[in-house]
Amino acid sequence: MTERQAQQRDAIIVKLLKLLLGLWDGFDRWDDPETILGMAARSATLVDSSTMSSRLLTRSFQTAVLRELGAAKQALPAVLNSYPRANVTATEVYSRPATQFVFARRSGLTFDESMDAFTKRMTEVATQDVKLADREESLRIFQADPLVNRWRRVIHPELSKSGTCGLCVVAAQRVYTTDDLMQMHGPSCNCTTMGIVAGDDPGYRLNDADLKKIYATAGSTAAADLQNVRISIEEHGELGPVLIKQGNHFKTAKEAGRPEYVAPTPATIRAGYERERAKVAASLTDADDRYAAMTDSVKFGADGSTTSAAIALFRSAKYMREYLAVLDKKLAASPAS
């Protein structure tokens, strides 16, 4: 069951990436902020749908496991599909791959190399967002059930070409309270979580079988290296707790000039919606004004065509309107205080 859940989560990620990369395929308005924001708004709409799918999958999986353990007998909290990063909006995050492309080009990389950088960044942020939603929903389920007081990280070596890393191996041998979010460890991490009920720890049994195989495959010296890995947990301004190797320097939110991570509350979630809406609405006004000026001055051809710039701007304005509708629904369902 846990393997199926991890595989289904990966399928959500694969589908999302196909949609995102298809959306941006052929994009050529890298110097146009309103057009980029429109594309980021459409990306955010797609991501919102995928994080909801991730949450519903997680909810189904975690409640099924808890029922097997004799828990999950109370009503569940409503699904709250807020953007799963702190101190940042979705359009800001999904503008970053475009910024990465521009930076690569200005650094002297070829177009193809710059597109590779764009694709890598888009893949990383989208993968992390789906997994962040999974992590957040799991903890909400655990916290809602009085019979769950601990949880364990579950490794998935079957989903990784290079195998489970040493940091995840060590972290999976510990248990955590329901006050603790699972520590993130990069977009390629395939770990999930399982609750512990009345001392019944199914994650331990799953991990134990996998760890025995990992250590046997690694051999004595490599296995000892894995067992001797020491981890630290640091706070990332957007992602919350992250795993790092003990002794490695971690750039804190303060050092990066960003706000410290704060766990989401109804008030911070609503404030994020309002901030995002104000930004997108302002950009939409600018895009509409620019489009009106363009079409007033453009001489239409016999076939009724306009310039490619006007078409791109019109499409981006449409994406912004669609995303504003998503945000309005979230605000309508969000408590005012």
Side-chain angles (χ1 to χ4, degrees):
M1 188 161 53
T2 185
E3 288 183 7
R4 184 168 66 251
Q5 186 256 350
Q7 290 167 351
Q8 289 173 334
R9 186 186 66 179
D10 277 4
I12 292 171
I13 293 169
V14 169
K15 180 180 178 181
L16 174 60
L17 287 172
K18 286 181 179 178
L19 291 171
L20 289 172
L21 297 176
L23 170 69
W24 287 85
D25 184 38
F27 182 75
D28 61 357
R29 310 299 300 175
W30 303 103
D31 59 346
D32 189 333
E34 275 85 35
T35 304
I36 288 174
L37 186 66
M39 296 291 283
R42 178 57 182 162
S43 299
T45 302
L46 294 171
V47 170
D48 183 72
S49 177
S50 295
T51 55
M52 175 59 91
S53 296
S54 178
R55 290 179 192 278
L56 293 175
L57 171 65
T58 299
R59 175 166 292 218
S60 175
F61 165 73
Q62 295 294 4
T63 53
V65 171
L66 293 179
R67 279 195 295 269
E68 289 292 321
L69 299 177
K73 297 177 180 179
Q74 72 297 315
L76 292 174
V79 178
L80 186 63
N81 190 35
S82 57
Y83 186 57
R85 293 178 188 249
N87 302 315
V88 71
T89 63
T91 52
E92 180 181 341
V93 171
Y94 285 89
S95 295
R96 289 173 183 171
T99 302
Q100 190 81 36
F101 174 89
V102 172
F103 176 78
R105 290 294 280 156
R106 290 175 178 171
S107 299
L109 297 185
T110 66
F111 178 86
D112 287 345
E113 290 169 336
S114 300
M115 281 306 301
D116 286 343
F118 169 90
T119 300
K120 182 174 184 291
R121 188 69 177 271
M122 183 65 80
T123 300
E124 289 174 348
V125 296
T127 299
Q128 280 186 319
D129 281 352
V130 172
K131 292 180 178 181
L132 285 167
D134 173 6
R135 174 187 76 166
E136 199 172 79
E137 191 65 23
S138 290
L139 194 64
R140 290 191 75 219
I141 299 300
F142 298 158
Q143 290 175 336
D145 196 318
L147 296 179
V148 181
N149 55 16
R150 295 267 193 283
W151 60 266
R152 181 182 296 277
R153 188 185 198 100
V154 179
I155 59 174
H156 290 277
E158 76 281 358
L159 296 180
S160 174
K161 293 179 181 178
S162 57
T164 303
C165 78
L167 297 185
C168 293
V169 165
V170 174
Q173 296 178 68
R174 302 181 180 182
V175 295
Y176 302 88
T177 73
T178 54
D179 291 329
D180 301 316
L181 277 170
M182 184 181 78
Q183 312 85 18
M184 297 303 292
H185 182 224
S188 61
C189 176
N190 291 307
C191 293
T192 56
T193 59
M194 293 188 80
I196 301 172
V197 176
D200 195 345
D201 184 357
Y204 172 80
R205 296 189 291 275
L206 290 169
N207 285 342
D208 187 53
D210 282 330
L211 290 172
K212 286 177 180 175
K213 293 177 185 176
I214 289 171
Y215 290 136
T217 302
S220 57
T221 303
D225 289 341
L226 281 174
Q227 291 170 323
N228 289 330
V229 169
R230 297 292 178 266
I231 61 173
S232 292
I233 300 172
E234 300 289 349
E235 289 285 326
H236 186 282
E238 288 179 21
L239 308 178
V242 296
L243 282 178
I244 65 167
K245 189 172 182 178
Q246 195 172 82
N248 286 1
H249 176 68
F250 178 81
K251 194 172 186 179
T252 65
K254 184 177 181 180
E255 289 172 333
R258 305 284 295 184
E260 298 286 341
Y261 176 81
V262 178
T265 65
T268 62
I269 291 170
R270 184 176 180 85
Y273 293 153
E274 291 172 340
R275 189 169 63 251
E276 179 81 304
R277 196 194 189 290
K279 180 177 77 170
V280 175
S283 291
L284 176 58
T285 298
D286 291 342
D288 282 341
D289 290 345
R290 283 181 56 205
Y291 179 74
M294 280 182 181
T295 53
D296 283 345
S297 61
V298 167
K299 291 183 178 179
F300 287 81
D303 60 353
S305 62
T306 65
T307 66
S308 61
I311 293 171
L313 198 57
F314 177 84
R315 182 174 57 243
S316 291
K318 173 179 177 288
Y319 291 156
M320 289 185 215
R321 287 189 177 87
E322 291 172 348
Y323 187 44
L324 286 175
V326 171
L327 292 171
D328 285 341
K329 286 182 181 179
K330 289 179 178 292
L331 282 166
S334 175
S337 61

